[in-house]
Protein backbone atom coordinates (compact mmCIF):
# COMPACT_ATOMS: atom_id res chain seq x y z
CA UNK A 1 0.00 0.00 0.00
CA UNK A 2 1.25 3.50 -0.85
CA UNK A 3 0.62 6.10 1.81
CA UNK A 4 0.11 9.75 0.93
CA UNK A 5 3.21 10.57 2.95
CA UNK A 6 5.33 8.14 0.90
CA UNK A 7 3.92 9.39 -2.40
CA UNK A 8 4.67 13.03 -1.63
CA UNK A 9 8.16 12.23 -0.33
CA UNK A 10 8.93 10.13 -3.42
CA UNK A 11 7.78 12.87 -5.75
CA UNK A 12 9.84 15.55 -4.02
CA UNK A 13 12.93 13.35 -3.88
CA UNK A 14 12.60 12.53 -7.56
CA UNK A 15 12.19 16.20 -8.53
CA UNK A 16 15.11 17.32 -6.38
CA UNK A 17 17.49 14.65 -7.62
CA UNK A 18 16.58 15.48 -11.25
CA UNK A 19 17.29 19.16 -10.54
CA UNK A 20 13.71 19.98 -11.53
CA UNK A 21 12.36 21.11 -8.17
CA UNK A 22 11.17 24.72 -8.17
CA UNK A 23 10.12 27.21 -5.53
CA UNK A 24 8.36 30.29 -6.89
CA UNK A 25 10.02 33.60 -6.12
CA UNK A 26 7.74 36.05 -4.34
CA UNK A 27 7.16 39.65 -5.42
CA UNK A 28 6.79 42.00 -2.45
CA UNK A 29 5.47 44.78 -4.68
CA UNK A 30 3.18 45.06 -7.74
CA UNK A 31 4.03 43.55 -11.12
CA UNK A 32 6.01 46.40 -12.68
CA UNK A 33 9.25 47.05 -14.59
CA UNK A 34 10.84 47.84 -11.22
CA UNK A 35 9.66 45.74 -8.32
CA UNK A 36 10.89 43.89 -5.23
CA UNK A 37 11.70 40.18 -5.25
CA UNK A 38 12.60 38.22 -2.14
CA UNK A 39 13.55 41.50 -0.47
CA UNK A 40 15.72 42.85 -3.32
CA UNK A 41 14.84 45.90 -5.48
CA UNK A 42 15.05 44.73 -9.08
CA UNK A 43 14.65 45.61 -12.71
CA UNK A 44 12.08 43.01 -13.72
CA UNK A 45 12.82 41.08 -16.92
CA UNK A 46 10.84 38.00 -15.94
CA UNK A 47 7.19 38.91 -16.53
CA UNK A 48 4.87 38.64 -19.56
CA UNK A 49 3.61 42.13 -18.82
CA UNK A 50 4.57 43.39 -22.30
CA UNK A 51 2.60 46.63 -22.28
CA UNK A 52 2.99 47.37 -18.57
CA UNK A 53 -0.78 46.98 -18.07
CA UNK A 54 -0.76 44.69 -15.01
CA UNK A 55 -0.62 47.63 -12.56
CA UNK A 56 -1.82 50.42 -14.87
CA UNK A 57 -4.15 52.99 -13.27
CA UNK A 58 -6.43 53.10 -16.34
CA UNK A 59 -7.16 49.36 -16.00
CA UNK A 60 -7.49 49.50 -12.23
CA UNK A 61 -9.97 52.36 -12.41
CA UNK A 62 -12.33 50.49 -14.72
CA UNK A 63 -11.88 47.28 -12.73
CA UNK A 64 -13.03 49.22 -9.67
CA UNK A 65 -15.98 50.76 -11.51
CA UNK A 66 -17.15 47.34 -12.79
CA UNK A 67 -16.69 45.84 -9.34
CA UNK A 68 -18.88 48.51 -7.77
CA UNK A 69 -21.59 48.34 -10.44
CA UNK A 70 -21.64 44.62 -11.23
CA UNK A 71 -20.38 42.94 -8.08
CA UNK A 72 -17.53 40.70 -7.01
CA UNK A 73 -18.41 37.51 -8.88
CA UNK A 74 -20.33 36.12 -11.86
CA UNK A 75 -22.33 33.77 -9.66
CA UNK A 76 -22.71 30.83 -12.06
CA UNK A 77 -21.13 29.21 -15.08
CA UNK A 78 -21.66 31.24 -18.23
CA UNK A 79 -24.16 28.79 -19.76
CA UNK A 80 -26.47 28.71 -16.73
CA UNK A 81 -26.81 32.18 -15.23
CA UNK A 82 -23.30 33.63 -15.19
CA UNK A 83 -23.28 35.58 -18.47
CA UNK A 84 -23.52 39.24 -17.55
CA UNK A 85 -24.03 41.91 -20.20
CA UNK A 86 -20.44 43.07 -19.67
CA UNK A 87 -19.14 39.62 -20.67
CA UNK A 88 -20.85 39.79 -24.05
CA UNK A 89 -19.96 43.45 -24.56
CA UNK A 90 -16.30 42.64 -24.00
CA UNK A 91 -16.45 39.71 -26.43
CA UNK A 92 -17.90 42.02 -29.08
CA UNK A 93 -15.13 44.53 -28.36
CA UNK A 94 -12.49 41.80 -28.67
CA UNK A 95 -13.95 40.52 -31.98
CA UNK A 96 -13.93 44.06 -33.34
CA UNK A 97 -10.31 44.49 -32.25
CA UNK A 98 -9.29 41.17 -33.80
CA UNK A 99 -11.31 41.85 -36.99
CA UNK A 100 -13.04 38.49 -36.62
CA UNK A 101 -16.76 37.83 -36.75
CA UNK A 102 -16.90 36.84 -33.11
CA UNK A 103 -14.95 35.91 -30.03
CA UNK A 104 -15.54 33.83 -26.92
CA UNK A 105 -13.71 34.43 -23.64
CA UNK A 106 -12.74 31.52 -21.40
CA UNK A 107 -11.12 31.46 -17.97
CA UNK A 108 -7.52 31.31 -19.19
CA UNK A 109 -5.34 30.61 -22.19
CA UNK A 110 -4.73 27.16 -20.78
CA UNK A 111 -8.42 26.25 -20.55
CA UNK A 112 -9.00 27.78 -24.00
CA UNK A 113 -6.70 25.24 -25.65
CA UNK A 114 -8.36 22.47 -23.69
CA UNK A 115 -11.84 23.71 -24.58
CA UNK A 116 -11.29 24.42 -28.25
CA UNK A 117 -9.08 21.47 -29.21
CA UNK A 118 -11.14 19.14 -27.03
CA UNK A 119 -14.45 20.12 -28.61
CA UNK A 120 -13.46 20.76 -32.22
CA UNK A 121 -11.60 17.54 -33.03
CA UNK A 122 -13.27 14.18 -33.58
CA UNK A 123 -12.24 10.65 -34.44
CA UNK A 124 -10.97 10.46 -38.02
CA UNK A 125 -9.59 14.01 -37.91
CA UNK A 126 -5.89 14.81 -38.23
CA UNK A 127 -4.11 17.36 -36.05
CA UNK A 128 -0.50 18.37 -36.64
CA UNK A 129 1.35 20.34 -33.99
CA UNK A 130 4.72 22.17 -34.02
CA UNK A 131 7.12 20.34 -31.70
CA UNK A 132 7.71 23.51 -29.65
CA UNK A 133 4.04 24.30 -29.02
CA UNK A 134 2.97 25.27 -25.52
CA UNK A 135 2.09 22.72 -22.82
CA UNK A 136 -1.58 23.75 -22.89
CA UNK A 137 -1.76 22.72 -26.56
CA UNK A 138 -0.16 19.38 -25.73
CA UNK A 139 -2.67 18.84 -22.92
CA UNK A 140 -5.54 20.04 -25.11
CA UNK A 141 -4.59 17.48 -27.73
CA UNK A 142 -4.65 14.73 -25.10
CA UNK A 143 -8.40 15.39 -24.88
CA UNK A 144 -8.86 15.09 -28.64
CA UNK A 145 -9.74 11.78 -30.32
CA UNK A 146 -8.10 12.82 -33.63
CA UNK A 147 -4.91 11.28 -35.07
CA UNK A 148 -2.08 13.38 -33.62
CA UNK A 149 1.21 14.16 -35.38
CA UNK A 150 4.13 16.46 -34.64
CA UNK A 151 6.09 18.48 -37.21
CA UNK A 152 9.62 19.76 -36.64
CA UNK A 153 9.82 23.33 -35.38
CA UNK A 154 8.89 25.70 -38.24
CA UNK A 155 10.00 23.02 -40.74
CA UNK A 156 7.68 23.45 -43.72
CA UNK A 157 9.01 20.40 -45.58
CA UNK A 158 8.21 18.29 -42.54
CA UNK A 159 4.73 19.81 -42.22
CA UNK A 160 4.07 18.97 -45.88
CA UNK A 161 5.40 15.43 -45.41
CA UNK A 162 3.06 14.78 -42.46
CA UNK A 163 0.07 16.12 -44.41
CA UNK A 164 0.99 13.93 -47.41
CA UNK A 165 1.47 10.79 -45.34
CA UNK A 166 -1.80 11.10 -43.41
CA UNK A 167 -4.71 11.57 -45.80
CA UNK A 168 -8.16 11.74 -44.22
CA UNK A 169 -11.69 12.84 -45.08
CA UNK A 170 -11.96 14.32 -41.61
CA UNK A 171 -11.01 17.79 -40.46
CA UNK A 172 -7.30 18.61 -40.72
CA UNK A 173 -5.89 21.12 -38.25
CA UNK A 174 -2.37 22.58 -38.22
CA UNK A 175 -1.58 23.97 -34.77
CA UNK A 176 1.14 26.52 -34.05
CA UNK A 177 2.10 29.15 -31.52
CA UNK A 178 2.14 32.61 -33.13
CA UNK A 179 5.25 33.60 -31.18
CA UNK A 180 7.21 30.81 -29.50
CA UNK A 181 7.59 31.36 -25.79
CA UNK A 182 11.13 30.10 -25.25
CA UNK A 183 12.97 31.40 -28.35
CA UNK A 184 10.87 34.48 -29.15
CA UNK A 185 10.71 33.53 -32.83
CA UNK A 186 7.64 34.08 -35.03
CA UNK A 187 5.77 31.23 -36.77
CA UNK A 188 6.04 31.56 -40.59
CA UNK A 189 2.27 31.88 -40.84
CA UNK A 190 2.30 32.88 -44.51
CA UNK A 191 3.92 29.55 -45.41
CA UNK A 192 1.97 27.49 -42.86
CA UNK A 193 -1.40 28.75 -44.10
CA UNK A 194 -0.37 28.25 -47.76
CA UNK A 195 0.65 24.62 -47.15
CA UNK A 196 -2.41 23.96 -44.98
CA UNK A 197 -4.63 25.26 -47.81
CA UNK A 198 -3.00 22.94 -50.36
CA UNK A 199 -4.30 20.04 -48.25
CA UNK A 200 -7.60 21.65 -47.25
CA UNK A 201 -6.40 22.02 -43.65
CA UNK A 202 -7.39 24.70 -41.14
CA UNK A 203 -4.68 26.66 -39.28
CA UNK A 204 -4.97 27.15 -35.51
CA UNK A 205 -2.77 29.88 -34.02
CA UNK A 206 -2.17 30.23 -30.27
CA UNK A 207 -1.17 33.87 -30.09
CA UNK A 208 -0.46 34.13 -26.36
CA UNK A 209 2.84 35.97 -26.93
CA UNK A 210 1.83 37.74 -30.15
CA UNK A 211 -1.28 39.66 -29.09
CA UNK A 212 -0.44 43.13 -27.83
CA UNK A 213 3.00 42.68 -29.39
CA UNK A 214 2.65 42.10 -33.16
CA UNK A 215 0.28 43.53 -35.78
CA UNK A 216 -1.12 47.06 -35.99
CA UNK A 217 -2.06 48.24 -32.45
CA UNK A 218 -1.18 44.81 -31.12
CA UNK A 219 -3.84 42.89 -33.04
CA UNK A 220 -1.57 39.85 -33.10
CA UNK A 221 0.37 37.47 -35.33
CA UNK A 222 -2.61 36.59 -37.55
CA UNK A 223 -3.15 40.28 -38.28
CA UNK A 224 0.61 40.77 -38.79
CA UNK A 225 0.41 38.25 -41.66
CA UNK A 226 -2.91 39.60 -42.99
CA UNK A 227 -5.08 36.53 -42.29
CA UNK A 228 -7.55 38.07 -39.83
CA UNK A 229 -10.47 37.77 -42.26
CA UNK A 230 -9.59 34.21 -43.36
CA UNK A 231 -12.29 31.65 -42.53
CA UNK A 232 -9.72 28.85 -42.35
CA UNK A 233 -7.62 30.42 -39.58
CA UNK A 234 -8.64 30.16 -35.92
CA UNK A 235 -7.00 32.45 -33.37
CA UNK A 236 -6.79 31.64 -29.70
CA UNK A 237 -4.80 33.44 -27.08
CA UNK A 238 -4.51 34.72 -23.57
CA UNK A 239 -5.62 37.89 -21.83
CA UNK A 240 -3.02 37.40 -19.11
CA UNK A 241 0.17 38.41 -20.90
CA UNK A 242 0.22 41.71 -22.83
CA UNK A 243 -3.33 42.50 -21.68
CA UNK A 244 -2.14 42.30 -18.10
CA UNK A 245 -5.10 40.57 -16.45
CA UNK A 246 -6.32 36.98 -16.90
CA UNK A 247 -8.36 34.95 -19.39
CA UNK A 248 -8.26 33.26 -22.76
CA UNK A 249 -10.21 33.64 -25.98
CA UNK A 250 -11.01 32.02 -29.27
CA UNK A 251 -11.71 34.36 -32.19
CA UNK A 252 -13.27 33.29 -35.49
CA UNK A 253 -16.66 33.22 -37.11
CA UNK A 254 -19.96 33.15 -35.22
CA UNK A 255 -20.43 29.40 -35.65
CA UNK A 256 -17.10 28.72 -33.93
CA UNK A 257 -18.29 30.73 -30.94
CA UNK A 258 -21.63 28.92 -30.94
CA UNK A 259 -20.05 25.46 -31.03
CA UNK A 260 -17.68 26.39 -28.20
CA UNK A 261 -20.50 27.75 -26.05
CA UNK A 262 -22.23 24.41 -26.47
CA UNK A 263 -19.27 22.06 -26.27
CA UNK A 264 -16.16 23.57 -24.64
CA UNK A 265 -16.06 21.94 -21.23
CA UNK A 266 -14.24 24.71 -19.32
CA UNK A 267 -16.88 27.15 -20.61
CA UNK A 268 -19.73 24.82 -19.64
CA UNK A 269 -18.51 23.67 -16.25
CA UNK A 270 -16.39 26.44 -14.74
CA UNK A 271 -17.50 29.90 -13.67
CA UNK A 272 -16.70 32.90 -15.86
CA UNK A 273 -14.71 35.99 -15.01
CA UNK A 274 -15.64 38.34 -12.18
CA UNK A 275 -16.69 41.86 -13.29
CA UNK A 276 -13.42 43.51 -12.20
CA UNK A 277 -11.51 41.29 -14.64
CA UNK A 278 -13.88 42.19 -17.47
CA UNK A 279 -13.55 45.89 -16.66
CA UNK A 280 -9.74 45.82 -16.62
CA UNK A 281 -9.67 43.90 -19.92
CA UNK A 282 -12.02 46.27 -21.71
CA UNK A 283 -9.85 49.17 -20.51
CA UNK A 284 -6.73 47.37 -21.80
CA UNK A 285 -8.17 47.08 -25.32
CA UNK A 286 -9.21 50.73 -25.29
CA UNK A 287 -5.84 51.90 -24.02
CA UNK A 288 -3.73 50.11 -26.63
CA UNK A 289 -5.89 51.63 -29.39
CA UNK A 290 -5.99 55.15 -27.92
CA UNK A 291 -2.29 55.40 -27.21
CA UNK A 292 0.18 54.02 -29.73
CA UNK A 293 3.14 54.82 -27.46
CA UNK A 294 2.83 51.49 -25.58
CA UNK A 295 3.61 49.53 -28.74
CA UNK A 296 6.26 52.03 -29.82
CA UNK A 297 8.12 51.85 -26.49
CA UNK A 298 7.82 48.04 -26.36
CA UNK A 299 9.55 47.74 -29.73
CA UNK A 300 12.12 50.49 -29.09
CA UNK A 301 13.10 48.73 -25.88
CA UNK A 302 13.13 45.34 -27.60
CA UNK A 303 15.48 46.50 -30.36
CA UNK A 304 17.79 48.37 -27.99
CA UNK A 305 18.14 45.56 -25.44
CA UNK A 306 18.71 42.86 -28.05
CA UNK A 307 21.29 44.94 -29.97
CA UNK A 308 23.21 45.83 -26.79
CA UNK A 309 23.28 42.21 -25.58
CA UNK A 310 24.62 41.14 -28.97
CA UNK A 311 27.22 43.94 -28.89
CA UNK A 312 28.41 42.57 -25.53
CA UNK A 313 28.85 39.19 -27.20
CA UNK A 314 25.78 37.33 -25.89
CA UNK A 315 23.87 34.84 -28.04
CA UNK A 316 20.19 35.88 -28.20
CA UNK A 317 19.36 32.87 -30.40
CA UNK A 318 16.57 33.28 -32.99
CA UNK A 319 14.60 35.93 -31.14
CA UNK A 320 12.54 38.36 -33.22
CA UNK A 321 10.28 39.70 -30.46
CA UNK A 322 10.46 41.13 -26.90
CA UNK A 323 11.18 37.57 -25.66
CA UNK A 324 14.97 37.71 -25.52
CA UNK A 325 16.81 34.52 -24.57
CA UNK A 326 20.45 34.67 -23.55
CA UNK A 327 22.06 31.28 -24.09
CA UNK A 328 24.35 29.89 -21.36
CA UNK A 329 24.62 26.27 -22.50
CA UNK A 330 24.54 24.15 -19.34
CA UNK A 331 21.53 24.54 -17.05
CA UNK A 332 23.83 25.04 -14.06
CA UNK A 333 25.43 28.07 -15.77
CA UNK A 334 22.05 29.61 -16.55
CA UNK A 335 20.84 29.12 -12.98
CA UNK A 336 24.09 30.54 -11.56
CA UNK A 337 23.84 33.57 -13.86
CA UNK A 338 20.24 34.15 -12.76
CA UNK A 339 21.32 34.05 -9.08
CA UNK A 340 24.13 36.54 -9.72
CA UNK A 341 21.87 38.84 -11.72
CA UNK A 342 19.42 38.92 -8.82
CA UNK A 343 22.26 39.98 -6.50
CA UNK A 344 22.88 42.81 -8.98
CA UNK A 345 19.22 43.83 -8.86
CA UNK A 346 18.06 42.14 -12.06
CA UNK A 347 15.21 39.63 -12.01
CA UNK A 348 15.51 37.20 -14.94
CA UNK A 349 14.75 33.50 -14.76
CA UNK A 350 17.02 30.65 -15.87
CA UNK A 351 15.45 27.82 -17.90
CA UNK A 352 16.96 24.40 -18.46
CA UNK A 353 16.01 20.94 -19.69
CA UNK A 354 13.25 19.79 -20.16
CA UNK A 355 11.76 23.25 -20.76
CA UNK A 356 14.47 23.89 -23.40
CA UNK A 357 17.02 21.52 -25.06
CA UNK A 358 19.81 20.26 -22.79
CA UNK A 359 22.67 22.31 -24.29
CA UNK A 360 20.59 25.44 -24.81
CA UNK A 361 19.88 26.43 -21.20
CA UNK A 362 19.22 30.12 -21.04
CA UNK A 363 17.91 33.10 -19.23
CA UNK A 364 14.70 34.33 -20.77
CA UNK A 365 14.32 38.10 -20.64
CA UNK A 366 11.10 39.84 -21.52
CA UNK A 367 11.33 43.53 -22.27
CA UNK A 368 8.23 45.66 -21.66
CA UNK A 369 6.90 49.08 -22.68
CA UNK A 370 7.33 50.18 -19.07
CA UNK A 371 11.12 49.78 -18.90
CA UNK A 372 13.08 53.02 -19.08
CA UNK A 373 16.43 53.29 -20.84
CA UNK A 374 17.94 53.50 -17.34
CA UNK A 375 16.33 50.18 -16.36
CA UNK A 376 17.72 48.47 -19.44
CA UNK A 377 21.18 49.98 -18.99
CA UNK A 378 21.21 48.76 -15.39
CA UNK A 379 20.35 45.26 -16.59
CA UNK A 380 22.95 45.40 -19.38
CA UNK A 381 25.67 46.45 -16.92
CA UNK A 382 24.79 43.50 -14.70
CA UNK A 383 24.77 41.14 -17.71
CA UNK A 384 28.20 42.33 -18.75
CA UNK A 385 29.71 41.72 -15.29
CA UNK A 386 28.00 38.35 -14.77
CA UNK A 387 28.77 37.19 -18.33
CA UNK A 388 32.46 37.98 -17.90
CA UNK A 389 32.66 36.42 -14.45
CA UNK A 390 31.19 33.20 -15.83
CA UNK A 391 33.31 33.29 -18.98
CA UNK A 392 30.27 33.46 -21.29
CA UNK A 393 31.50 36.64 -22.96
CA UNK A 394 35.10 37.80 -23.35
CA UNK A 395 36.89 40.78 -21.80
C1 LIG B 1 1.07 31.39 -21.47
C2 LIG B 1 0.51 30.60 -22.58
C3 LIG B 1 -0.74 29.99 -22.46
C4 LIG B 1 -1.51 30.01 -21.17
O1 LIG B 1 -2.15 31.22 -20.97
P1 LIG B 1 -2.81 31.52 -19.55
O2 LIG B 1 -3.80 32.58 -19.84
O3 LIG B 1 -1.71 31.97 -18.65
O4 LIG B 1 -3.44 30.27 -19.07
C5 LIG B 1 -1.24 29.30 -23.54
N1 LIG B 1 -0.55 29.22 -24.70
C6 LIG B 1 0.66 29.79 -24.85
C7 LIG B 1 1.38 29.68 -26.15
C8 LIG B 1 1.23 30.50 -23.79
O5 LIG B 1 2.42 31.05 -23.93
Amino acid sequence: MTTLHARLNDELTRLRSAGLHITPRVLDAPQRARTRVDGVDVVNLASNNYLGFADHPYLKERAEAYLRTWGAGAGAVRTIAGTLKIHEDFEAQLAQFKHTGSALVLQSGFTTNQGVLGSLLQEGDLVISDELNHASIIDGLRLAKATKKIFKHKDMADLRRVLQENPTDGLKLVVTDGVFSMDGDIAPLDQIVAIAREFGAVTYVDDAHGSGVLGAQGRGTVHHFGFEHADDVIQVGTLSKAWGVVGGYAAGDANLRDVLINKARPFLFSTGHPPAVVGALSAALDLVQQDESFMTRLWENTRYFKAELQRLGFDTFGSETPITPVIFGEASAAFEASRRLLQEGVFAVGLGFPTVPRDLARIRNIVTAEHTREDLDHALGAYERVGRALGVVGG
Side-chain angles (χ1 to χ4, degrees), residues 108-111 113 134 136 177 181 206 208-209 238-241 247-248:
S108 73
F110 195 99
T111 62
N113 276 323
H134 190 259
S136 58
D177 282 9
S181 55
D206 181 343
H209 289 280
T238 175
L239 301 164
S240 49
K241 288 178 176 137

Side-chain angles (χ1 to χ4, degrees), residues 87-101:
H87 288 122
E88 295 213 325
D89 287 350
F90 175 68
E91 286 166 344
Q93 185 188 358
L94 181 60
Q96 199 168 37
F97 176 73
K98 285 278 178 187
H99 295 166
T100 54

Side-chain angles (χ1 to χ4, degrees), residues 168-375:
T168 172
D169 291 334
L171 183 73
K172 295 171 213 158
L173 195 69
V174 178
V175 181
T176 182
D177 282 9
V179 172
F180 289 87
S181 55
M182 292 301 141
D183 295 351
D185 54 338
I186 302 171
L189 220 51
D190 46 350
Q191 299 171 58
I192 292 174
V193 171
I195 293 172
R197 281 178 179 167
E198 272 179 50
F199 292 87
V202 172
T203 305
Y204 177 104
V205 182
D206 181 343
D207 209 26
H209 289 280
S211 266
V213 173
L214 288 175
Q217 297 175 311
R219 287 187 164 81
T221 310
V222 172
H223 190 276
H224 174 75
F225 284 100
F227 290 121
E228 72 271 25
H229 297 295
D231 61 5
D232 57 355
V233 177
I234 296 172
Q235 304 185 46
V236 303
T238 175
L239 301 164
S240 49
K241 288 178 176 137
W243 307 122
V245 194
V246 75
Y249 62 86
D253 75 14
N255 281 347
L256 175 70
R257 182 172 187 273
D258 205 9
V259 166
L260 295 177
I261 287 173
N262 284 279
K263 287 198 70 190
R265 293 173 69 81
F267 190 84
L268 285 159
F269 296 111
S270 181
T271 298
H273 286 156
V277 165
V278 184
L281 287 170
S282 87
L285 286 192
D286 285 345
L287 191 55
V288 80
Q289 292 175 86
Q290 282 162 21
D291 186 347
E292 303 245 338
S293 73
F294 290 99
M295 291 282 294
T296 309
R297 282 198 307 273
L298 173 63
W299 280 95
E300 273 172 13
N301 285 343
T302 295
R303 280 189 286 270
Y304 176 74
F305 192 64
K306 221 185 294 286
E308 288 298 302
L309 281 170
Q310 285 163 359
R311 196 178 58 76
L312 291 171
F314 288 103
D315 176 6
T316 58
F317 213 53
S319 169
E320 305 167 83
T321 64
I323 298 174
T324 311
V326 168
I327 303 293
F328 283 87
E330 289 294 314
S332 54
F335 297 149
E336 178 59 21
S338 171
R339 261 193 301 277
R340 290 186 187 210
L341 285 169
L342 189 59
Q343 285 167 1
E344 298 242 13
V346 177
F347 180 35
V349 176
L351 300 165
F353 184 80
T355 310
V356 295
R358 236 175 248 288
D359 53 342
L360 289 174
R362 67 195 64 187
I363 291 181
R364 185 180 65 165
N365 305 280
I366 295 185
V367 176
T368 75
E370 202 187 1
H371 287 106
T372 61
R373 188 54 63 91
E374 234 184 345
D375 295 337

Side-chain angles (χ1 to χ4, degrees), residues 27-86:
L27 275 66
D28 307 316
Q31 181 60 263
R32 301 194 66 125
R34 288 218 181 226
T35 185
R36 229 178 133 69
V37 175
D38 291 342
V40 185
D41 288 321
V42 293
V43 170
N44 179 7
L45 292 171
S47 80
N48 301 306
N49 187 22
Y50 291 103
L51 298 173
F53 282 0
D55 190 46
H56 197 286
Y58 191 76
L59 275 73
K60 293 198 286 188
E61 222 168 87
R62 202 172 309 168
E64 247 179 78
Y66 275 42
L67 169 71
R68 280 207 209 90
T69 309
W70 287 92
V77 302
R78 291 276 308 267
T79 46
I80 293 183
T83 295
L84 307 175
K85 183 172 180 300
I86 50 174

